[in-house]
Amino acid sequence: MKRFLLILTVLFIGCKEEKTFADDIILSFTKDEKLTIQKFNEDGNEAGTNLFYKGYDSGKVEIKYFKNIMPEPPPPPGINEKKLSARTNTFRDSLNNIQSPYFINEEIEILETKEDLYESLSNKNLAVTVKEKDTIPLYKRDYGTDKIKKHKAFPIFIKNISTKTLRILIDGSAVALYVSNNSQFQFIRNSNYTIMNCLELPENPYFELKPNEILIYSFPHLEKGNKRNAKIVFFKAFSKEFEISIDEKIIKNQRSIHYLQ
């Protein structure tokens, strides 16, 4: 009998999930909002980032997203800046009234370097934790109507576990989903439109992440389908495997196919 109880205890300990730095962080948002599943290719007409927190573990984090990581470009030459500024400010004030409950005006300081920072960001200095069973809102602004869309999403926590300040590259797909397919993990987007960058960006733009500082992103829940194993990848760092339900059409409709190396 004692041996049986010992086996049960060992199995219980083995099955119990390991505690992570993200477990004590409470995400605060309005619980009675009607959330929708983001449709395939819907994000092609949506503004806003998937990052809603950069800072230290404060115990409680309100979900309000950064509108942009990069600063807005200067006006084109030949434009009367005073008149443009007046029109822009009026437009911004109108948008701010709509966006203020969902987006923050705070900007992240952007620096640049000639160094290639990609290889320097790995599990040696970053911890990536995914709460795939949780549901939080992902707020986006529709470019056409300026209305706020509210999608079902799950949170991704990233922490600088090193003793050095890290330089985090600015990359639209920095938080990437890889799903098991053909015995490999395939990169998956919830769209297949072509991403085009019309802005002249600084060389290797980045922001700093200090020791113990945390980033919290969200990733949209996908249309349900077959269950597959998945990972969240952040440059060369990646999460533990978790199970995800994904519509097979999303996998088949990818524009470019590449696998986790």
Side-chain angles (χ1 to χ4, degrees):
M1 183 66 179
K2 288 183 178 179
R3 185 179 178 183
F4 176 71
L5 290 174
L6 178 61
I7 293 172
L8 283 179
T9 302
V10 171
L11 287 174
F12 175 76
I13 293 172
C15 294
K16 188 177 180 180
E17 292 186 6
E18 182 182 348
K19 187 175 175 65
T20 72
F21 71 90
D23 290 345
D24 295 326
I25 300 175
I26 298 171
L27 302 180
S28 173
F29 58 95
T30 303
K31 299 297 190 297
D32 59 354
E33 290 182 326
K34 185 177 180 180
L35 306 180
T36 61
I37 293 290
Q38 186 186 59
K39 297 177 183 177
F40 190 76
N41 273 346
E42 188 173 0
D43 61 338
N45 195 42
E46 295 177 338
T49 73
N50 286 42
L51 175 65
F52 63 85
Y53 185 71
K54 177 183 181 295
Y56 295 99
D57 181 1
S58 60
K60 189 174 183 179
V61 173
E62 182 183 10
I63 297 183
K64 290 181 80 169
Y65 287 85
F66 287 92
K67 287 184 285 189
N68 297 293
I69 300 251
M70 287 299 298
E72 294 182 11
I79 298 294
N80 186 311
E81 292 193 24
K82 288 186 177 179
K83 289 184 179 180
L84 178 65
S85 178
R87 290 202 305 268
T88 301
N89 287 339
T90 301
F91 178 68
R92 280 180 183 164
D93 290 343
S94 175
L95 271 184
N96 284 338
N97 290 334
I98 300 171
Q99 296 183 141
S100 58
Y102 313 106
F103 298 94
I104 53 180
N105 292 321
E106 178 185 348
E107 293 185 353
I108 297 174
E109 183 181 7
I110 303 302
L111 306 169
E112 61 178 304
T113 179
K114 292 184 178 180
E115 296 179 49
D116 183 0
L117 303 177
Y118 190 89
E119 296 290 333
S120 67
L121 302 170
S122 69
N123 286 104
K124 292 181 180 179
N125 47 35
L126 289 167
V128 181
T129 296
V130 181
K131 299 284 187 179
E132 75 280 0
K133 295 178 182 178
D134 292 353
T135 297
I136 62 172
L138 169 60
Y139 301 127
K140 294 287 185 178
R141 177 173 65 85
D142 187 292
Y143 278 118
T145 64
D146 287 330
K147 291 182 178 179
I148 302 299
K149 294 182 178 179
K150 304 170 184 180
H151 299 306
K152 292 181 178 181
F154 57 88
I156 299 159
F157 303 80
I158 297 167
K159 184 176 183 179
N160 181 355
I161 57 174
S162 75
T163 58
K164 297 180 179 179
T165 296
L166 301 178
R167 293 179 291 177
I168 308 296
L169 277 166
I170 295 171
D171 189 332
S173 60
V175 175
L177 175 69
Y178 283 77
V179 171
S180 59
N181 191 24
N182 297 325
S183 301
Q184 299 183 76
F185 281 89
Q186 178 186 337
F187 172 64
I188 296 295
R189 290 172 57 209
N190 197 28
S191 55
N192 61 7
Y193 65 86
T194 302
I195 297 176
M196 297 184 67
N197 178 29
C198 301
L199 298 177
E200 185 176 340
L201 300 177
E203 188 172 7
N204 291 342
Y206 70 91
F207 59 85
E208 292 186 335
L209 190 69
K210 296 177 180 177
N212 294 316
E213 201 172 7
I214 295 169
L215 302 171
I216 311 180
Y217 292 84
S218 67
F219 196 94
H221 282 297
L222 304 176
E223 291 283 354
K224 293 187 179 298
N226 294 336
K227 291 184 178 180
R228 292 176 180 250
N229 290 336
K231 292 181 181 181
I232 289 292
V233 177
F234 188 71
F235 301 102
K236 300 292 284 188
F238 51 87
S239 70
K240 291 182 178 180
E241 287 186 31
F242 58 93
E243 193 174 69
I244 193 171
S245 177
I246 178 172
D247 189 332
E248 295 298 305
K249 291 179 182 177
I250 296 176
I251 298 175
K252 292 177 182 178
N253 289 335
Q254 296 298 299
R255 179 180 290 272
S256 61
I257 298 175
H258 65 270
Y259 297 93
L260 186 61
Q261 300 296 318

